[in-house]
């Protein structure tokens, strides 16, 4: 790698302005970027190419010459990572090639649309229960704590077969893991606590299997010798963590968007069939994985007219590609009727694209429809500029969302 | 008139975008979640949705034969 004075490069990850959670990047950072593929300084040392255009991000994330293995030397690390250990044996989001395919394929059927439809009544039950509990606690309430956070963690717990009594435990530890302010020791401790409990649950299901994901992986994969128990435990933890904070932040921010646009909240109440299109536009507009997706070039490649050399890091900046005016006219506008909204890359792209997207879409749709239906007088207690953000978390969101009705 | 669609199960990662787009043509295997075709030669009237599925596939596992010019 040629010598580069990285101190002059824009510092990454970018964050948005403090007074508007809907803007992913401050204009002062946008102005410092050197073209659509430019260099940025990384938080834990080194630099990477930031890929910002929709077409270039598509091309990068589909390119076979880039690795997702964050333990490779030179990988553009964006978040603190635990030291490599057996606990990581099932974290296929950080794997390449056959190692990734082998584990992902054990889960794809679980998340198929037709199987998610089967658990949709359970999602509805979870959503309604959380909303009615919030109502019974009385206004004002924190929509994040009472609704946005419990719904996805309870849904993933249902999916895996984690008993309700362990729900608070999971919520707490997955939040520690996803928080950029957590140190490596805290992350390791939280991972260990979750792994311990899932391991215990999985063993219990070996002799008393139920209709859930942990039981099926245990009986169909571990028992015949296709999957090791440590792989099962770490894969289950990945699903819990990945399925929790992302969806929670999407629910919270989506509610905030609709509170800022009461006409869309009213339209959704009148016509729940608007929900699927609205959800796609919310995914595009909010793009909670604001730090983007890091990759390491294993071979020389050309992305967006820029030669990327083997050994160099790149970051697919999803939030900017989802506001690329070439694909999305007037990209800064939230428009639930936007025809091309479905082309967003909020779930990533390429072979690592989110496996849980049918589940995430179902949770968002049900959550927003029921929120609109059950709380016709819902309004925010806080001006948009004063809603506390969590800019340093892996997935962007608001820290709390006080509402009344 | 119909069009010809092919899918590559080696590339497929089971993200389900094609099924979400056009379930008359695409389905997922109950065992492994990977794509299979319900209809290999869908009618021309479905072309727009087939092309949407091609565009949304994260790994390029779907191909649709281009329209040949009418003679």
């Amino acid at each position: 790698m040629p010598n580069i004075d990285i101190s002059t490069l824009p510092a990454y990850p970018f964050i948005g302005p403090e007074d508007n959670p809907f803007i992913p990047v401050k204009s002062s950072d946008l102005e410092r970027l050197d073209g659509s593929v430019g260099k940025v300084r990384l938080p834990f040392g080194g630099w990477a190419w930031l890929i910002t255009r929709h077409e270039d991000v598509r091309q990068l994330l589909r390119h076979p010459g880039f690795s997702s293995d964050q333990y490779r030397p030179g990988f553009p690390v964006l978040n603190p990572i635990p030291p490599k250990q057996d606990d990581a044996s099932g974290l296929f989001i950080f794997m390449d090639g056959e190692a990734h395919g082998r584990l992902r394929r054990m889960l794809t059927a679980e998340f198929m649309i037709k199987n998610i439809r089967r658990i949709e009544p359970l999602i509805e039950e979870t959503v309604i229960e959380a909303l009615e509990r919030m109502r019974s606690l009385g206004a004002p309430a924190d929509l994040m704590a009472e609704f946005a956070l419990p719904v996805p963690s309870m849904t993933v717990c249902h999916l895996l077969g984690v008993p309700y009594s362990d729900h608070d435990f999971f919520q707490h530890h997955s939040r520690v893991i996803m928080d950029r302010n957590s140190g490596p020791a805290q992350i390791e401790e939280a991972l260990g606590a979750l792994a311990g409990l899932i391991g215990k649950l999985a063993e219990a299901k070996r002799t008393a299997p139920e209709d859930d994901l942990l039981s099926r992986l245990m009986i169909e994969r571990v028992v015949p010798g296709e999957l090791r128990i440590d792989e099962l435990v770490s894969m289950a933890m990945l699903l819990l963590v990945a399925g929790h904070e992302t969806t929670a932040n999407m629910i919270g921010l989506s509610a905030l968007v609709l509170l800022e646009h009461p006409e869309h909240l009213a339209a959704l109440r009148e016509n729940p069939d608007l929900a699927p299109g609205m959800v796609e536009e919310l995914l595009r507009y909010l793009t909670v994985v604001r730090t983007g997706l890091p990759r390491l070039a294993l071979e020389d490649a050309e992305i967006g007219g820029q030669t990327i050399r083997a050994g160099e890091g790149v970051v697919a900046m999803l939030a900017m590609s989802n506001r690329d005016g070439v694909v999305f006219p007037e990209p800064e506008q939230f428009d639930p009727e936007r025809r091309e909204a479905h082309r967003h890359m909020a779930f990533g792209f390429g072979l690592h694209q989110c496996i849980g997207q049918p589940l995430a879409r179902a949770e968002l749709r049900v959550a927003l429809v029921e929120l609109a239906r059950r709380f016709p007088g819902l309004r925010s207690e806080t001006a948009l500029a004063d809603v506390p953000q969590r800019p340093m978390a892996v997935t962007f969101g608001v820290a709390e969302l006080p509402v009344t009705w | 008139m119909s069009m010809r669609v092919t899918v590559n199960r080696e590339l497929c990662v089971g993200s389900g975008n094609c099924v979400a787009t056009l379930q008359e043509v695409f389905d997922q295997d109950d065992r492994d979640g990977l794509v299979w075709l319900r209809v290999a030669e869908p009618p021309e009237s479905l072309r727009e949705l087939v092309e949407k599925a091609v565009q949304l596939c994260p790994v390029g596992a779907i191909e649709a034969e281009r329209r040949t010019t009418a003679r």
Side-chain angles (χ1 to χ4, degrees):
Chain A
M1 230 183 271
N3 284 327
I4 289 171
D5 180 11
I6 63 169
S7 67
T8 63
L9 297 176
Y12 196 80
F14 295 153
I15 55 173
E18 276 170 28
D19 61 355
N20 191 333
F22 306 145
I23 300 176
V25 185
K26 283 180 189 153
S27 52
S28 55
D29 282 325
L30 288 178
E31 283 160 15
R32 291 197 63 202
L33 265 185
D34 182 20
S36 64
V37 181
K39 290 174 184 156
V40 291
R41 178 156 45 97
L42 297 171
F44 303 101
W47 62 276
W49 296 104
L50 191 70
I51 314 295
T52 61
R53 283 197 305 221
H54 188 273
E55 184 50 41
D56 297 343
V57 167
R58 264 176 75 93
Q59 194 195 338
L60 166 67
L61 294 178
R62 262 190 186 179
H63 199 296
F66 289 87
S67 171
S68 295
D69 182 354
Q70 61 178 359
Y71 293 103
R72 280 180 190 265
F75 192 89
V77 174
L78 299 178
N79 299 293
I81 56 173
K84 190 163 190 167
Q85 51 191 342
D86 289 346
D87 289 356
S89 63
L91 304 187
F92 58 90
I93 56 167
F94 303 127
M95 295 178 189
D96 299 325
E98 192 38 47
H100 163 264
R102 169 182 162 256
L103 296 179
R104 176 165 174 136
R105 283 179 185 196
M106 293 185 189
L107 292 175
T108 41
E110 296 284 343
F111 290 96
M112 291 190 296
I113 291 173
K114 53 188 168 193
N115 285 337
I116 296 306
R117 277 197 197 114
R118 287 197 317 162
I119 65 159
E120 206 170 301
L122 207 54
I123 298 174
E124 276 167 13
E125 201 179 293
T126 301
V127 162
I128 292 168
E129 205 176 281
L131 284 175
E132 292 308 323
R133 185 174 173 274
M134 181 172 89
R135 188 198 304 283
S136 70
L137 291 173
D142 176 10
L143 193 89
M144 281 306 297
E146 302 304 333
F147 185 52
L149 278 161
V151 163
S153 73
M154 222 147 91
T155 303
V156 178
C157 286
H158 283 314
L159 192 86
L160 288 178
V162 176
Y164 181 75
S165 53
D166 294 318
H167 176 246
D168 286 347
F169 182 90
F170 276 109
Q171 189 156 305
H172 169 72
H173 287 291
S174 69
R175 185 156 258 232
V176 171
I177 292 163
M178 298 300 280
D179 194 329
R180 284 177 50 89
N181 294 321
S182 299
Q186 283 169 290
I187 290 176
E188 207 169 333
E189 189 194 333
L191 284 168
L194 282 179
L197 194 62
I198 293 184
K200 224 165 51 186
L201 290 172
E203 282 304 334
K205 289 171 195 294
R206 190 195 289 268
T207 47
E210 292 170 276
D211 180 15
D212 58 50
L213 192 150
L214 277 184
S215 297
R216 280 189 289 273
L217 282 181
M218 180 52 112
I219 300 301
E220 294 170 19
R221 307 291 185 173
V222 175
V223 170
E226 289 176 34
L227 182 68
R228 296 196 315 267
I229 185 80
D230 60 292
E231 292 175 318
L232 179 151
V233 169
S234 110
M235 215 156 45
M237 283 167 53
L238 170 63
L239 297 182
L240 261 166
V241 173
H244 181 198
E245 204 82 9
T246 46
T247 315
N249 284 326
M250 265 309 294
I251 292 174
L253 284 167
S254 297
L256 186 57
V257 170
L258 296 179
L259 288 168
E260 291 294 313
H261 296 271
E263 71 280 13
H264 297 312
L265 192 62
L268 188 61
R269 187 178 313 119
E270 293 300 312
N271 182 8
D273 292 344
L274 295 175
M278 203 177 276
V279 164
E280 294 311 307
E281 174 67 348
L282 287 163
L283 286 162
R284 180 198 75 86
Y285 184 66
L286 295 167
T287 316
V288 292
V289 183
R290 292 222 177 147
T291 51
L293 300 174
R295 297 287 188 266
L296 178 70
L298 300 180
E299 57 186 60
D300 292 357
E302 195 184 303
I303 303 289
Q306 176 65 50
T307 301
I308 313 286
R309 300 285 176 201
E312 291 178 347
V314 294
V315 178
M317 216 310 191
L318 305 176
M320 286 175 70
S321 66
N322 282 346
R323 296 197 178 203
D324 182 341
V326 173
V327 177
F328 309 105
E330 294 193 64
E332 308 305 326
Q333 297 300 314
F334 171 69
D335 174 9
E337 285 169 36
R338 186 182 286 281
R339 276 185 55 87
E340 67 289 343
H342 62 272
R343 294 188 63 192
H344 71 76
M345 286 186 283
F347 291 117
F349 207 66
L351 52 80
H352 287 281
Q353 192 184 51
C354 178
I355 195 173
Q357 50 184 305
L359 180 63
R361 286 191 168 99
E363 288 178 78
L364 278 169
R365 179 167 42 77
V366 173
L368 297 178
V369 165
E370 293 301 329
L371 184 66
R373 193 199 324 261
R374 287 167 191 270
F375 289 85
L378 191 74
R379 57 192 191 279
S380 174
E381 284 277 80
T382 315
L384 184 66
D386 296 327
V387 174
Q389 303 181 17
R390 299 178 67 235
M392 298 309 275
V394 177
T395 57
F396 177 78
V398 295
E400 53 187 71
L401 181 52
V403 293
T404 186
W405 55 86
Chain B
M1 210 174 131
S2 63
M3 60 190 295
R4 182 151 197 87
V5 179
T6 51
V7 293
N8 184 336
R9 287 176 51 91
E10 294 295 310
L11 286 177
C12 178
V13 291
S15 70
N17 289 312
C18 54
V19 183
T21 304
L22 185 53
Q23 57 184 350
E24 292 89 337
V25 173
F26 302 99
D27 201 348
Q28 282 167 282
D29 196 304
D30 285 331
R31 168 74 190 160
D32 59 18
L34 302 185
V35 65
W36 63 270
L37 278 174
R38 302 168 73 96
V39 185
E41 296 191 4
E44 194 60 35
S45 59
L46 294 178
R47 175 173 291 276
E48 199 180 323
L49 285 171
V50 169
E51 285 176 353
K52 183 174 166 187
V54 171
Q55 185 185 53
L56 288 183
C57 178
V59 291
I62 308 168
E63 283 185 34
E65 167 198 68
R66 285 176 190 279
R67 191 197 300 266
T68 49
T69 45
R71 296 165 194 231

